Each structure stands twice: as C-alpha cells, then as structure tokens.
Amino acid sequence: MAFNYKTTAFSASGLAQEAMKKKPSLNTSYAIAFVLCAAAMTALVFFVVYPNEFRLQSMVTSRCGSRPSSSSSSSLSSFVEPVTPEPDFRLLIGILSLPDSYERRHLVRDIYALQPDVANARIDVRFVFCNLTKEEQRVLVAMEIMLYDDIIILDCAENMDNGKTYTYFSSLPKMLDGRNGGGRPYDYVMKADDDTYFRLQLLAESLRTLPREDMYHGLITPCLNWRARDHYMSGMGYILSWDLVEWIATAETPRKHQAGPEDKVMGTWLREARRGKNEINMEPVMYDYLEREPRTCYRHELVPDTVGVHRLKNNWRWATALTYFNATVGLKPSNLYHMS
C-alpha cells in the first residue's frame, strides 16, 4: 500500500483538534506535546540517516549570512575551485643550446630559478637544440627532461647559422597547437643565446604595454646607425609577437632563405615582407659585457638598470655579473658551509 504523507499529516492534525474540542482545558498541552514530540523524532531520524544534508545546509547558510568560520571555509574549499587570474602576457624564452652543454644548461637553469616570480605574467624558459646523435645524450638529456621538463628538441641537424633558428620558430605553432584552450599559447616568443643573462622582472616591465601584433623587440644593430636600412636585432636575445611566429611557419621567404648569421637573416625576412613594424630598441639596457675600453653604444660595463647582458662566455664572467646584480643576496647563514 502506498504511504500518503499528506493524508497522514492531515489526520494527525484532525486528531489533535478533536482532542482539544472535547477537553480544551486539559488536552491542549497533550496535543502540543504530541506534535512537538513527533517533530523531534522526525528530525532525529533524519539527522541519523542523512547527516551530510545538515552539514551542507550549515555551510550554505554560513556562506550566505555571516562570515564563515575557519572550519566552514576549510569545508568549502572542497566545493569551490581556486580561480587563477589571467596573466597580462605570456612569454616563451627559447635558449639555443647544444646537446652536450650540460654544465651551461644547469648554470643558466639555476640562475633563472633563483629569480623572483614575475607578477601577472607567465614566463617559460626552455632550452632548444637539434636531434640527439650520441647514446650518452639520449640518456643524460632524458634525465634532464624527467627532472625539469624544460627542453625542446627540434627535428634538425645541429648548426648555428644554417636554419636552426628558422626551425625553432617555424616548429612552434604546430608543436604548441591546442595549448591555452585553443587560443594563442604565447603572446611573445624570444630566441636567446646561452651566454645572455636576462633579468626577468625588468624584461617583463618592458613588455607589459607593448603591441601584441607585428612586434620586434631587442637591441638594434648597428646601434650607431640604427636607422640604416639593413638593421636588425642582435642575436643575444630578440622577441617576436606570436603573429610573426605564425607567419614564419607558413611564409615562403623564411623557408627559402635560412643560411647566414641568424639574427641578420631574421631582420632580412621581416624587412622584405614589411613586417615587424613595431620595433622596440632596448639600447642601452641590453648590451654586450665589456671588461675594458673602448666603450661603444652596444658594448660597455655593467649598469644597474640592465635588462639583458651578453657575452658571459665563462663562469668567471657569469659570477661577475651575478655578484653585481646581487643574485646570491638571499643566501642564509649556516654551520654547514664556510663562505670566506
């Protein structure tokens, strides 16, 4: 037989009313007690059988009303996903390397890992080289990838000025297809040398308000005559907006002209195609490090507002630059080491 809740509730109410009519002075309290007792028993059974319903109702009430306590905030964290703010821009820094350059990669990797996070920007640093050719490379590079996941291996024979930069830029659209929900994976892409030190905070500030289209950023060479028709951005490190990366991947001009000094070749591509019109010259805060005179517009001593410094060819030069920019200022004292 089906249970009729409405009929039962009505009958209980009717019984209570009949009781009150017959003996109003004595049975009113019995009727009230009966109803309250029935309600309490129903609540008790419901609480025992469905305890989570009371917990959820409590959380919802505390969120909508007064400020939730720490315990209810903790409970809500399992229901509400954290919201990650959209960065102002995304930058990929591709540092051209060689498969056997393990020591240099470890040094540069540590240097960038120790720099503070840049607010409201995503900056990814990756090491880029061509196909592996030795068995030890396949083992040691595989270990790097497993530990750091910061290596891009291109399908090319290792070279410096015979198409490696073209392969890097032209491979990225297909390689990164589907990232970032189908939108642009990056706003900007940099090609950098492994003897260049970039200070990421200042580099990011130089990009925040720049165009996201047709943008070519770096140190113009020759800097003494930067209006010269054949100028280009120094290979120490230059940045292209994503639309230019996509153009390189599909255009005939870059594909047919790959040989030659890679930075100069890049300038030729853009000039012939009338692209990269938003040129951003970073002289004098991007430069080659010079220990002795003569000083020039692109080669000089270290300066405080440096964005990028080039020609750090050995560990002594790296140490000199890192000391100048206080890279180890956060080292904590300890009995485990003696630093004289």
Side-chain angles (χ1 to χ4, degrees):
M1 177 182 294
F3 186 79
N4 191 321
Y5 175 80
K6 290 185 177 179
T7 303
T8 304
F10 177 80
S11 300
S13 176
L15 289 172
Q17 290 177 6
E18 284 296 322
M20 286 188 290
K21 285 179 181 179
K22 292 179 180 178
K23 295 183 179 180
S25 60
L26 180 62
N27 290 340
T28 300
S29 57
Y30 288 144
I32 294 173
F34 172 76
V35 172
L36 292 176
C37 183
M41 288 297 294
T42 302
L44 179 61
V45 170
F46 193 80
F47 179 78
V48 172
V49 177
Y50 304 108
N52 289 332
E53 296 294 333
F54 278 88
R55 178 173 174 269
L56 179 60
Q57 180 64 32
S58 173
M59 291 192 303
V60 172
T61 303
S62 66
R63 187 180 182 193
C64 295
S66 60
R67 184 178 180 180
S69 65
S70 59
S71 61
S72 58
S73 297
S74 169
S75 301
L76 277 170
S77 65
S78 61
F79 288 85
V80 181
E81 292 292 332
V83 177
T84 303
E86 187 72 12
D88 292 342
F89 66 89
R90 295 176 173 85
L91 167 66
L92 172 64
I93 299 178
I95 301 173
L96 268 57
S97 179
L98 296 172
D100 288 331
S101 297
Y102 305 107
E103 180 185 356
R104 175 58 59 86
R105 280 198 297 279
H106 287 311
L107 171 63
V108 175
R109 185 181 284 127
D110 290 346
I111 287 167
Y112 285 115
L114 285 172
Q115 293 197 40
D117 292 337
V118 178
N120 301 322
R122 174 171 177 173
I123 301 177
D124 294 331
V125 178
R126 300 289 184 263
F127 297 96
V128 182
F129 43 84
C130 291
N131 288 323
L132 308 181
T133 57
K134 304 175 186 176
E135 190 58 36
E136 63 265 30
Q137 291 173 354
R138 295 184 179 92
V139 175
L140 299 180
V141 170
M143 292 176 62
E144 285 186 80
I145 294 172
M146 293 168 68
L147 280 171
Y148 307 109
D149 193 22
D150 62 357
I151 287 176
I152 296 173
I153 302 178
L154 305 172
D155 187 12
C156 57
E158 194 58 63
N159 68 89
M160 182 170 67
D161 289 326
N162 197 29
K164 182 176 180 178
T165 297
Y166 168 77
T167 305
Y168 164 55
F169 281 111
S170 64
S171 299
L172 289 176
K174 184 176 180 180
M175 191 180 296
L176 301 176
D177 185 37
R179 303 289 180 93
N180 193 32
R184 286 185 171 188
Y186 294 97
D187 298 291
Y188 304 115
V189 176
M190 169 181 275
K191 172 266 161 185
D193 287 346
D194 69 354
D195 62 342
T196 302
Y197 172 50
F198 281 101
R199 301 171 73 195
L200 299 182
Q201 184 66 54
L202 295 179
L203 178 63
E205 293 309 314
S206 77
L207 291 171
R208 286 194 196 278
T209 60
L210 295 185
R212 301 290 197 264
E213 302 282 339
D214 208 29
M215 201 275 292
Y216 186 29
H217 173 291
L219 171 63
I220 287 185
T221 304
C223 61
L224 290 173
N225 186 20
W226 62 270
R227 293 185 182 277
R229 185 178 180 277
D230 60 349
H231 69 263
Y232 56 92
M233 300 297 180
S234 165
M236 67 176 286
Y238 53 81
I239 298 173
L240 304 179
S241 53
W242 182 255
D243 62 300
L244 294 180
V245 176
E246 292 181 315
W247 171 76
I248 292 172
T250 58
E252 288 293 311
T253 298
R255 186 178 63 81
K256 291 181 177 179
H257 180 197
Q258 300 181 30
E262 59 87 17
D263 49 2
K264 195 169 185 178
V265 167
M266 175 63 72
T268 301
W269 294 344
L270 298 176
R271 184 169 56 254
E272 290 183 357
R274 299 182 180 277
R275 292 180 180 267
K277 293 179 181 178
N278 293 312
E279 289 186 337
I280 310 299
N281 183 15
M282 293 299 290
E283 187 266 331
V285 294
M286 284 176 59
Y287 55 91
D288 287 352
Y289 175 41
L290 176 72
E291 298 174 56
R292 296 179 295 274
E293 299 293 339
R295 188 182 195 276
T296 69
C297 55
Y298 68 92
R299 185 172 297 164
H300 53 79
E301 72 283 356
L302 301 169
V303 295
D305 56 350
T306 296
V307 171
V309 56
H310 185 219
R311 295 194 177 276
L312 304 179
K313 296 291 186 182
N314 53 48
N315 288 347
W316 185 88
R317 283 194 163 207
W318 275 104
T320 301
L322 295 170
T323 299
Y324 182 87
F325 297 116
N326 298 314
T328 59
V329 71
L331 181 66
K332 297 178 181 179
S334 171
N335 294 329
L336 297 177
Y337 44 77
H338 175 69
M339 305 288 285
S340 58

